[in-house]
Amino acid sequence: MADLSKVSCFLLIACLVAASSPAARAAITCSQISSSMGPCIGYLRGSGPLSSACCSGVKSLNTAARTTADRQAACRCLQSASGSIQGIDFNLAAGLPGKCGVSVPYKISPTTDCKSVK
């Protein structure tokens, strides 16, 4: 279950988009990310197809991560988890937003500078 949470946290960065209004506190949580992104794990490990449930999770998190604070908090969660995730194809993770019809205006990578996410 911890691995599921780590993978799910990494995926959030794939579904965040830029917004113009920052917030003081983030409302999005790693638990919310895990719940929404769980269906993407097989795909990101290269062991399953991209499912409609995965894209539904990507789209719902894209909608939920409306503020700069949300996106930066998600990025920090991803950063803390991504170093210990095994089996994730980061090229598949980087392409996930586009495959699900979500546009992300910055590089999807475990080395993304979370402070630069707007």
Side-chain angles (χ1 to χ4, degrees):
M1 187 65 176
D3 194 39
L4 171 64
S5 177
K6 291 175 185 177
V7 171
S8 297
C9 287
F10 176 77
L11 295 176
L12 178 63
I13 198 117
C15 64
L16 303 176
V17 295
S20 60
S21 60
R25 286 183 16 183
I28 201 162
T29 67
C30 284
S31 176
Q32 181 180 2
I33 296 162
S34 295
S35 175
S36 295
M37 301 308 301
C40 300
I41 293 169
Y43 172 75
L44 292 174
R45 288 188 168 154
S47 63
L50 178 61
S51 68
S52 60
C54 171
C55 284
S56 178
V58 169
K59 290 174 183 177
S60 71
L61 286 174
N62 178 51
T63 300
R66 293 182 176 262
T67 68
T68 297
D70 283 339
R71 289 183 293 281
Q72 289 179 350
C75 181
R76 287 188 298 272
C77 177
L78 297 170
Q79 291 292 313
S80 68
S82 66
S84 61
I85 298 172
Q86 296 180 351
I88 296 299
D89 181 333
F90 291 110
N91 290 322
L92 290 176
L96 185 60
K99 295 257 185 201
C100 292
V102 175
S103 177
V104 179
Y106 50 85
K107 184 177 180 177
I108 305 304
S109 168
T111 59
T112 298
D113 178 6
C114 296
K115 292 178 188 173
S116 72
V117 175
K118 298 294 179 202

